[in-house]
Structures are given as C-alpha cells and as structure tokens.
C-alpha cells in the first residue's frame, strides 16, 4: 500500500532573536491511508512542530513532506486538528461549532448539517447540538472538537495531546471513543501524546522521538486488533510494549 503521508529527511530550525532552535532532525516517516499512528517524545522535542508541518501551518527547513503525493502547502485544508483545549467558540452552539470548518468557507448546506448531526450522534452528543460549550463537561467539549475536526472529511486527523487536560477516567473513556471513531470513519489519524499507555492503546504504529532536536529513535508496531477495549490495559503484551517505550525516557544518573 502506498503511503498517504511521506516525510523524508525533514528538518526544522526556528530562527529566533536569541539564535537558531533546531527542532527536528532527519525525520523519516510514512503513514498509510487509514492507519492510526502515535508519536511520543519528551516535552519540547518537536512534536507540535511536526504536527504543524503536517497541517501546513509551519514550513520545514529541509527535506520533503507530502500528503497524497503532493508537497504539503501552507494552509492545507485537508486536515482536521484537535488540540489540548477544545477551543470552541463560546457564543456559538455546539452544532455551529462543529460546522465551523465548513462555514468559514461557504454557507453550510443541508448535507453539511446532516454530516454534523451524524458526528454528534456518533459521539453521543446528539442532545447537545443547541447547547453552548460551557454547558458541556470537558470530555464532551473535546468530543465536540473531534466532530469539528472531522466535519469536512479531511484525509488526515491530527491530534496534539488532545486529552492532556482531562482527568484519568474521562481520558480512558475518550480513548475508547476515539478508537471507535477511527474505525467507523476510516480516517487516517496521527496522535501526539506524552501518555505512553494512550499511544499503545490507540495506535497501530508508534514513533518514539528523542529530546530536541527531535529524531525518531524507535518505531513500534502494535499487534492488537483494531477494535480495542479497556481490558487491554491489563494485557501482559500491553505492559511489555509500554515498558519498551519507557526505556527511551529513563534518566540515567551518573
Ligand atoms: N514558533 C517558534 N519559534 C521559535 N521556537 C519555537 C517555535 N515553536 C516551537 N519552538 C521551539 O521548538 C522546540 C520544539 O517545540 P514543540 O514542537 O512545541 O515541542 P513539543 O510539542 O514536543 O513539546 C522547542 O524548543 C520550542 O521552544
Ligand atoms: Mg507540543
């Protein structure tokens, strides 16, 4: 199968007032259509930078980056993004928030509204379409943000620490939900997380990044079925994979 996303020899250096910051170094990475990939790495290693390059929000300094065989352009509209904070517009209801990526471009059609309603149904938010964001819990807001990221049927769903601000139980149930959304929509997903267990729970393949400048130091194929439940957290193979990843982040004291 040919890759949907291809990054080759990707470099990123930010020029700042106080000198250059080398954020990414020699990143090679392919993602197949429909695949779920997670990227883990220490804080400041360039994960968000990598996601911004995929989203066309940031240029790279060297190497190549393509989606669907075309170089990634600034302002690439063919991605959906989910951030740590839901960033919903407080004065708009949930339905209007979900429709935002479309309504920024054109007047939403009845088909668009159907699509938004279907996504809200899929995430159990059907009864909340007319509510404002502050009337929803943090987990529900984040589910609405996922609907918004998918409403224009992007070829790539990018998530940057999407559940980092939520409590552990909400996070677990959202992980189950994201697994279902990914299976039902067939979307290609890239998740950035510093939760190793979240990466193993959700991804089919995990890339481990080094400290800055971020390089890929390990690639792990996760052997579990596509459909996953929280029982997996107690599986010995799950524990073996998380500890393999954790060894990359162990601090050695002299
Ligand atoms: N716009 C920017 N200008 C200058 N430096 C930046 C910018 N964005 C990120 N950086 C730097 O690049 C490095 C990687 O940042 P980032 O990609 O946000 O890391 P992560 O998401 O892994 O925590 C950090 O040292 C950060 O300070
Ligand atoms: Mg980040």
């Amino acid at each position: 199968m040919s890759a949907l996303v291809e990054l080759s020899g990707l470099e990123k250096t930010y020029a700042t007032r106080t000198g250059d910051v080398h954020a990414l170094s020699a990143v090679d990475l392919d993602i197949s259509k429909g695949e779920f990939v997670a990227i883990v790495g220490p804080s400041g290693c360039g994960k968000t930078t990598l996601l911004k390059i995929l989203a066309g929000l940031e240029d790279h300094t060297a190497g190549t980056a393509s989606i669907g065989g075309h170089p990634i352009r600034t302002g690439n509209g063919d991605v959906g993004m989910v951030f740590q904070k839901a960033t919903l517009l407080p004065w708009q209801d949930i339905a209007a928030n979900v429709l935002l990526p479309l309504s920024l471009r054109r007047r939403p059609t009845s088909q668009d509204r159907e699509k938004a309603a279907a996504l809200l149904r899929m995430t159990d938010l059907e009864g909340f379409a007319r509510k404002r964001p502050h009337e929803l819990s943090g987990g529900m807001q984040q589910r609405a943000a996922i609907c918004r990221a998918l409403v224009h049927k992007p070829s790539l769903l990018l998530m940057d620490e999407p559940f980092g601000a939520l409590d552990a139980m909400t996070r677990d149930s959202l992980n189950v939900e994201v697994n279902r959304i990914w299976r039902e929509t067939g979307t290609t997903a890239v998740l950035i997380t510093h939760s190793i267990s979240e990466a193993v729970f959700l991804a089919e393949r995990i890339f481990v990044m080094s400290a800055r400048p971020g390089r890929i130091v390990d690639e792990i194929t996760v052997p579990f079925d596509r459909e996953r439940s929280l029982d997996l957290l107690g599986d010995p193979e799950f524990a073996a994979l998380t500890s393999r990843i954790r060894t990359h982040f162990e601090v050695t004291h002299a």
Side-chain angles (χ1 to χ4, degrees), residues 138-174:
M140 292 161 84
Q141 290 185 25
Q142 211 52 323
R143 266 147 55 201
I146 293 170
C147 294
R148 180 184 57 192
L150 291 170
V151 76
H152 57 299
K153 301 186 188 123
S155 55
L156 198 56
L157 174 65
L158 303 173
M159 295 174 277
D160 192 356
E161 314 252 11
F163 312 127
L166 301 172
D167 63 273
M169 277 168 75
T170 306
R171 193 170 182 148
D172 279 353
S173 66
L174 277 177

Side-chain angles (χ1 to χ4, degrees), residues 43-44 46-49 160-161 192:
S43 183
K47 302 182 297 297
T48 295
T49 300
D160 192 356
E161 314 252 11
I192 281 179

Side-chain angles (χ1 to χ4, degrees), residues 161-236:
E161 314 252 11
F163 312 127
L166 301 172
D167 63 273
M169 277 168 75
T170 306
R171 193 170 182 148
D172 279 353
S173 66
L174 277 177
N175 283 342
V176 173
E177 190 118 3
V178 166
N179 175 254
R180 189 167 57 81
I181 292 167
W182 167 64
R183 286 184 286 109
E184 286 181 8
T185 59
T187 190
T188 309
V190 182
L191 170 75
I192 281 179
T193 178
H194 51 226
S195 165
I196 293 172
S197 63
E198 182 167 274
V200 176
F201 182 79
L202 282 170
E204 297 181 289
R205 217 146 46 97
I206 301 171
F207 293 94
V208 180
M209 285 176 72
S210 67
R212 190 165 64 81
R215 287 172 301 112
I216 292 173
V217 292
D218 202 0
E219 180 188 330
I220 291 135
T221 300
V222 181
F224 308 126
D225 292 344
R226 284 166 61 90
E227 184 170 354
R228 300 180 189 179
S229 74
L230 290 175
D231 295 342
L232 194 59
L233 303 180
D235 190 306

Side-chain angles (χ1 to χ4, degrees), residues 68-145:
H70 302 287
I72 297 173
R73 287 171 299 110
T74 319
N76 166 30
D78 198 19
V79 298
M81 280 278 259
V82 182
F83 306 94
Q84 182 164 350
K85 287 174 83 178
T87 61
L88 301 169
L89 300 176
W91 62 89
Q92 296 267 24
D93 67 21
I94 295 302
N97 268 288
V98 169
L99 281 167
L100 191 69
L102 293 168
S103 52
L104 286 173
R105 289 170 219 183
R106 57 180 160 84
R107 203 189 158 101
T109 62
S110 57
Q111 271 177 334
D112 296 337
R113 290 179 203 288
E114 274 293 307
K115 174 75 183 159
L119 286 165
L120 289 172
R121 259 196 311 281
M122 185 174 67
T123 51
D124 281 330
L125 289 172
E126 199 172 11
F128 296 86
R130 301 266 81 86
K131 302 276 189 198
R132 297 283 161 85
H134 75 269
E135 298 176 275
L136 274 63
S137 70
M140 292 161 84
Q141 290 185 25
Q142 211 52 323
R143 266 147 55 201

